[in-house]
Amino acid sequence: MLRIINQVTEATTELQRISRRTHDQQVVGQEEAVREILSTVKNQGDQALLDYTEKFDKLTLTADKLRVNGSELDAAYQQVSKDLIDAIALAREQIEAFHQQRKPQSWVQFGDNETVLGKRYNAVDCAGLYVPGGRAAYPSTVLMNAVPAKVAGVERRVMMTPPMPDGKVNSAVLVAAQEAGIEEIYRVGGAHAIAALAYGTETIPQVDVITGPGNLYVTLAKKMVYGTVGIDSLAGPSEVLIIADHQANPTYVATDLLAQAEHDPMAAAILLTTDESLAQKVQKEVEQQLANHPRRTLTEKAIAHYGVIVVVNSLLEATELSNLFAPEHLELEVEDPWELLRLIRHAGAIFLGHATPEAVGDYLAGPNHTLPTSGAARYASALGVETFMKHSSLISYSHTGLEKVSKAIQTLAAAEGLHSHSESVRVRLSDDY
Amino acid sequence: MLRIINQVTEATTELQRISRRTHDQQVVGQEEAVREILSTVKNQGDQALLDYTEKFDKLTLTADKLRVNGSELDAAYQQVSKDLIDAIALAREQIEAFHQQRKPQSWVQFGDNETVLGKRYNAVDCAGLYVPGGRAAYPSTVLMNAVPAKVAGVERRVMMTPPMPDGKVNSAVLVAAQEAGIEEIYRVGGAHAIAALAYGTETIPQVDVITGPGNLYVTLAKKMVYGTVGIDSLAGPSEVLIIADHQANPTYVATDLLAQAEHDPMAAAILLTTDESLAQKVQKEVEQQLANHPRRTLTEKAIAHYGVIVVVNSLLEATELSNLFAPEHLELEVEDPWELLRLIRHAGAIFLGHATPEAVGDYLAGPNHTLPTSGAARYASALGVETFMKHSSLISYSHTGLEKVSKAIQTLAAAEGLHSHSESVRVRLSDDY
């Protein structure tokens, strides 16, 4: 049963509990295990990957079988429907169009005294994409990671994904990878896959950036290797917060809440509404849809633990609660969503209006579906082309330009006790050198 | 003595060793200590800060003395020279101008079928800046962190810096903070300062983003709290790589190498040159300048352990070595630096030409001096306004727009086994709801 809360103080506490549901997890044991895996892969390379695959995936492989070969890549197209190939192609096209248009560009500016400043953007050389297996082997995840890497211009793009018990990799995942321009795919999953990308092995290249979601072990591994390589973010369980007024359709709202809850027993589904009667109708509709839901057990768990309806006194109050929660996904199912948007400060992606279910953004509207979770929208943003690029500052001074600022530099250097900093200016302006 | 290497294979190995000088540090004990500090501050708040300040800074404080008060802020201006105030003001102005002009802006685009996509940029609510004490209490560090936070529009900007033995804070640091618009300053340093910013205490606000360099403990603390808050980067010891040809001035080159080495015994200073005779002259000049250097001991250590001159066969070879090293600072002291720039892929900041010592960028050219170290320029960039901002994706679909893509969404949702994702589209297009 999806609870209804009418009291703002109680709602605030409850939203904080939900937001922090992974923060206070005790993970000391898992950290220890991941640290061990990282160091073993670093030291033993491929052999460690084979050992862990045997241990965790119950699959015996040899090093030459780690990479998915050409005939498997071809065969994947035979194992999915024409409709799915078309859908993947449409999604790829729209995601690529959105990411392409705001690709960062290098620039320079010319200042006084022939000084030049600027930024040069470059793609990273090599990117590693992690795609989870099992329930979360999503072709959409592949597209949302691979397309920005391609648009960024990353030359070598590598994918890691765990094998199924028969050694195969999900066909839809293989098709999505190829549609997005990835053909170097390894059947390795878990923390050892992250270790391989961070340190390299005989078979797997060391990459510059690792992106993609994963389970707790994968996430801990990403955090530990951050600094050796770049990472996109630390993904937690998914969440939606819907703000709805009297105009909202209870069936739409209920379905959208369930579309979040069905991801994961830890997923969060929150409705803030000004309309008490909508709250009742949504509660009932959720119950009804759950009765025949193909993932009933896990979805019910999410709804029970991390689902809540809050009846608020005003839309202003709703936006305040929402800013506090900083949701990954925010739906504004209200009369004037663009008006309400002005009050929103923290959210990963915002879906405006009754005809914009989150699923549109999950799959193909264009913006990335890799978004900050667990309140990280306070400070973080969606994955993007810039995740796979970096910039170098450009600074070019003339003799005259240097002269104009020499006194200030020498004063600051003296205050900081950095003798040679000061000297590096002085020698250039002296006639003696 | 600054070694000269003539052999490329040897140089490659040596550059890798220098690049990885902090990667392979054993920090298990320090990690344990930092984990303990984080959990103590999280649980005990201000009291823990007072205890650690007593323990590490040998200073007894009370909670109401943690914050630097108004008369201390005023007094700082009396304790620094007029020249220094002017230099700080000039630097602030140039840094602000550079950061202001490329501040990210929100945008929307209007597509077919009344769909709208876009990005909304917001500043974080609260930023915490760390400024080291002792040898590294630099006013320039204050400016390089505080100015971008202000330009971003961060409402609450807080600074943490360790107290000196008499309880005071470096006057130049206090002046720089005020010039850059920070007046909320706490005399707390070390890993416990990072903990306070990440979790909040009775006195210190919980922030959204923590930036600024620090010692190993501060850096480990930043890595551990990443995910609870955002951080700028994991700063390592500073480094410069200079590419020079026969046109370069040996005195300039030698002084620039020492300007890096004088920071820290772990700092790296590398010269790649096509000119054997320049190599000899620079080696000699470094030796001479070191003889009377006010920080001779530590600078000599850096030069001995992490300094090297490599005589390369061509400028192309120099760029290849440089890209492998991915230096924090790269100086191109060659005949045509803009020509050579084309071959550079990885560097934090690039200084072009003989009249552009790194010190110009360290202090006041405008671009940020907080740059990726230890090879992180392969995937990371300078701190910037965007460090203190984040974006929300905006997605607004119309009924017709949704209809056009409904089949693709439902096909993808079915392939991913996500029933309610598919339903969220179906119910919106059905006449029944």
Side-chain angles (χ1 to χ4, degrees):
Chain A
M1 174 78 92
L2 185 52
R3 284 160 311 149
I4 298 179
I5 294 178
N6 285 287
Q7 221 271 331
V8 171
T9 322
E10 188 189 346
T12 306
T13 311
E14 187 57 10
L15 259 55
Q16 279 175 331
R17 179 188 69 81
I18 296 174
S19 178
R20 306 183 55 79
R21 68 199 182 284
T22 57
H23 284 214
D24 301 324
Q25 270 179 325
Q26 282 302 319
V27 293
V28 180
Q30 289 94 328
E31 279 182 349
E32 205 42 67
V34 170
R35 204 169 286 122
E36 168 80 26
I37 290 169
L38 295 183
S39 110
T40 308
V41 172
K42 194 175 180 181
N43 295 323
Q44 299 175 17
D46 281 348
Q47 188 53 51
L49 298 185
L50 300 176
D51 293 346
Y52 286 123
T53 301
E54 181 129 21
K55 180 172 174 189
F56 296 123
D57 305 297
K58 314 292 173 208
L59 183 70
T60 308
L61 286 179
T62 48
D64 61 319
K65 293 280 184 298
L66 287 173
R67 181 163 175 177
V68 174
N69 66 34
S71 49
E72 290 174 275
L73 290 178
D74 291 344
Y77 277 91
Q78 313 307 317
Q79 282 146 27
V80 300
S81 68
K82 174 75 169 58
D83 280 352
L84 183 56
I85 297 173
D86 290 346
I88 288 172
L90 175 67
R92 185 206 50 77
E93 189 186 323
Q94 303 214 148
I95 297 164
E96 187 164 319
F98 184 84
H99 286 76
Q100 183 67 53
Q101 85 180 311
R102 293 279 162 158
K103 181 178 168 181
Q105 301 295 329
S106 303
W107 55 275
V108 288
Q109 66 175 37
F110 299 89
D112 294 340
N113 305 307
E114 290 152 57
T115 59
V116 186
L117 300 177
K119 288 281 183 194
R120 168 152 186 208
Y121 283 86
N122 279 299
V124 304
D125 288 338
C126 186
L129 279 47
Y130 187 81
V131 178
R135 201 167 63 211
Y138 297 148
S140 59
T141 305
V142 176
L143 297 179
M144 291 292 183
N145 284 272
V147 170
K150 190 177 172 215
V151 170
V154 180
E155 283 217 7
R156 190 167 183 185
R157 305 181 298 276
V158 171
M159 195 174 105
M160 310 291 275
T161 191
M164 297 187 283
D166 61 359
K168 289 190 181 146
V169 171
N170 183 300
S171 300
V173 162
L174 291 184
V175 169
Q178 292 174 85
E179 290 296 310
I182 294 197
E183 304 199 331
E184 186 172 352
I185 302 168
Y186 299 94
R187 61 186 109 239
V188 184
H192 46 294
I194 303 300
L197 292 172
Y199 307 122
T201 70
E202 301 89 322
T203 303
I204 318 286
Q206 182 180 27
V207 306
D208 301 307
V209 171
I210 300 175
T211 70
N215 63 19
L216 178 61
Y217 292 88
V218 166
T219 304
L220 290 173
K222 280 172 71 180
K223 182 166 178 177
M224 287 183 200
V225 301
Y226 166 58
T228 301
V229 296
I231 64 171
D232 53 345
S233 59
L234 303 171
S238 200
E239 61 209 19
V240 72
L241 187 148
I242 302 175
I243 300 180
D245 63 13
H246 63 285
Q247 280 217 340
N249 180 312
T251 303
Y252 301 178
V253 172
T255 314
D256 292 0
L257 290 170
L258 289 169
Q260 200 62 51
E262 71 181 344
H263 270 290
D264 187 318
M266 297 272 295
I270 296 159
L271 169 61
L272 311 181
T273 181
T274 46
D275 186 358
E276 171 82 47
S277 118
L278 182 81
Q280 304 287 349
K281 286 181 201 152
V282 169
Q283 185 184 51
K284 199 170 149 197
E285 177 75 24
V286 163
E287 210 58 20
Q288 280 172 356
Q289 290 196 27
L290 267 174
N292 298 306
H293 198 285
R295 287 186 172 187
R296 180 172 171 174
T297 310
L298 87 80
T299 309
E300 264 180 354
K301 248 186 214 167
I303 289 288
H305 294 140
Y306 307 113
V308 66
I309 299 174
V310 180
V311 180
V312 291
N313 296 305
S314 65
L315 287 176
L316 176 63
E317 195 174 277
T319 59
E320 287 166 354
L321 281 171
S322 178
N323 284 335
L324 194 72
F325 189 79
E328 181 190 15
H329 306 100
L330 172 63
E331 292 190 3
L332 303 179
E333 301 197 30
V334 295
E335 192 169 359
D336 190 348
W338 289 94
E339 172 74 20
L340 200 62
L341 179 60
R342 298 190 303 163
L343 301 171
I344 301 300
R345 293 185 50 78
H346 311 303
I350 305 172
F351 301 81
L352 297 106
H354 305 291
T356 317
E358 188 202 306
V360 143
D362 289 343
Y363 288 124
L364 50 60
N368 212 284
H369 81 189
T370 309
L371 296 164
T373 58
S374 305
R378 285 187 295 119
Y379 58 83
S381 313
L383 183 148
V385 177
E386 62 277 15
T387 308
F388 300 101
M389 299 185 81
K390 70 269 175 8
H391 51 76
S392 305
S393 303
L394 305 179
I395 305 176
S396 174
Y397 260 57
S398 65
H399 194 272
T400 318
L402 186 62
E403 210 156 28
K404 297 264 180 199
V405 294
S406 63
K407 184 182 166 196
I409 294 177
Q410 291 180 285
T411 304
L412 284 160
E416 299 189 350
L418 295 171
H419 170 74
S420 296
H421 279 62
S422 184
E423 282 291 288
S424 72
V425 174
R426 192 186 65 79
V427 297
R428 282 170 164 90
L429 300 176
S430 153
D431 290 336
D432 300 342
Y433 305 99
Chain B
M1 173 77 92
L2 184 53
R3 284 159 312 150
I4 299 178
I5 294 178
N6 285 287
Q7 220 271 331
V8 172
T9 323
E10 188 189 345
T12 307
T13 311
E14 187 58 9
L15 261 56
Q16 279 173 333
R17 178 188 71 80
I18 296 174
S19 177
R20 305 183 54 78
R21 68 198 181 284
T22 59
H23 284 214
D24 301 324
Q25 270 180 324
Q26 282 303 316
V27 292
V28 180
Q30 290 92 329
E31 279 182 348
E32 205 45 66
V34 171
R35 205 172 285 119
E36 168 82 23
I37 290 169
L38 295 183
S39 112
T40 307
V41 173
K42 194 176 179 180
N43 295 323
Q44 300 175 16
D46 280 350
Q47 188 54 52
L49 298 185
L50 300 176
D51 293 346
Y52 286 124
T53 301
E54 180 127 24
K55 180 172 174 188
F56 296 125
D57 304 298
K58 313 291 173 212
L59 183 69
T60 308
L61 285 180
T62 49
D64 61 318
K65 294 278 185 302
L66 287 173
R67 181 162 174 177
V68 174
N69 66 34
S71 50
E72 290 176 274
L73 291 179
D74 291 344
Y77 278 91
Q78 311 309 320
Q79 283 145 27
V80 300
S81 68
K82 173 75 171 58
D83 279 352
L84 183 55
I85 297 174
D86 289 347
I88 288 173
L90 174 68
R92 187 206 47 78
E93 187 186 327
Q94 303 214 148
I95 296 164
E96 187 164 317
F98 184 85
H99 285 76
Q100 184 66 54
Q101 83 178 314
R102 293 279 162 158
K103 180 178 168 183
Q105 301 295 329
S106 303
W107 55 275
V108 288
Q109 66 175 39
F110 299 89
D112 294 340
N113 305 305
E114 292 152 55
T115 58
V116 186
L117 300 177
K119 288 281 183 196
R120 170 153 184 206
Y121 282 87
N122 279 298
V124 303
D125 288 339
C126 186
L129 276 49
Y130 187 82
V131 177
R135 200 169 63 212
Y138 296 148
S140 60
T141 305
V142 177
L143 297 179
M144 292 292 184
N145 284 271
V147 171
K150 188 174 174 222
V151 170
V154 180
E155 284 217 5
R156 191 168 182 184
R157 306 182 298 277
V158 171
M159 197 174 104
M160 310 290 275
T161 191
M164 296 187 284
D166 60 359
K168 291 193 181 145
V169 170
N170 182 301
S171 301
V173 162
L174 290 184
V175 169
Q178 294 175 85
E179 291 296 310
I182 294 196
E183 303 199 332
E184 186 173 352
I185 302 168
Y186 299 94
R187 61 185 110 241
V188 184
H192 46 295
I194 303 300
L197 293 172
Y199 306 123
T201 70
E202 300 89 323
T203 303
I204 317 288
Q206 182 180 30
V207 305
D208 301 307
V209 171
I210 300 174
T211 70
N215 63 18
L216 178 61
Y217 292 87
V218 167
T219 303
L220 290 173
K222 282 172 71 180
K223 182 166 179 178
M224 286 184 200
V225 301
Y226 166 57
T228 301
V229 296
I231 63 171
D232 55 344
S233 60
L234 303 171
S238 200
E239 59 208 20
V240 71
L241 188 149
I242 302 174
I243 299 180
D245 62 12
H246 62 284
Q247 281 217 339
N249 180 311
T251 302
Y252 302 177
V253 172
T255 314
D256 293 359
L257 290 171
L258 288 169
Q260 200 61 52
E262 71 181 344
H263 269 290
D264 186 319
M266 296 272 294
I270 296 161
L271 168 63
L272 311 182
T273 181
T274 47
D275 186 358
E276 172 82 46
S277 117
L278 183 81
Q280 304 285 349
K281 288 180 200 150
V282 169
Q283 186 185 50
K284 197 170 153 199
E285 176 77 27
V286 164
E287 211 58 20
Q288 280 170 355
Q289 291 196 24
L290 266 175
N292 298 309
H293 199 283
R295 288 186 171 188
R296 179 172 174 173
T297 310
L298 88 78
T299 308
E300 264 181 352
K301 250 188 211 165
I303 288 289
H305 295 141
Y306 307 114
V308 64
I309 299 173
V310 181
V311 180
V312 292
N313 296 305
S314 64
L315 287 176
L316 174 65
E317 194 174 278
T319 60
E320 287 166 353
L321 281 171
S322 177
N323 284 334
L324 193 73
F325 189 77
E328 181 190 15
H329 306 100
L330 172 63
E331 292 189 3
L332 303 180
E333 302 197 31
V334 296
E335 190 168 0
D336 189 349
W338 290 94
E339 171 76 19
L340 201 61
L341 179 60
R342 300 190 302 162
L343 300 172
I344 301 299
R345 294 187 48 79
H346 311 303
I350 305 171
F351 302 81
L352 297 105
H354 304 292
T356 317
E358 191 203 304
V360 144
D362 288 343
Y363 289 123
L364 51 60
N368 212 283
H369 81 190
T370 310
L371 296 164
T373 57
S374 305
R378 284 186 297 118
Y379 58 83
S381 312
L383 183 146
V385 177
E386 63 278 13
T387 307
F388 300 101
M389 301 186 80
K390 70 270 176 6
H391 52 76
S392 305
S393 303
L394 305 177
I395 305 175
S396 174
Y397 260 56
S398 65
H399 195 271
T400 318
L402 186 61
E403 210 157 28
K404 297 265 181 198
V405 294
S406 63
K407 185 183 164 191
I409 293 177
Q410 291 181 285
T411 303
L412 285 159
E416 298 189 351
L418 295 170
H419 171 72
S420 296
H421 279 62
S422 184
E423 282 290 288
S424 72
V425 173
R426 193 187 63 79
V427 297
R428 282 171 163 90
L429 301 176
S430 154
D431 291 335
D432 299 342
Y433 305 98

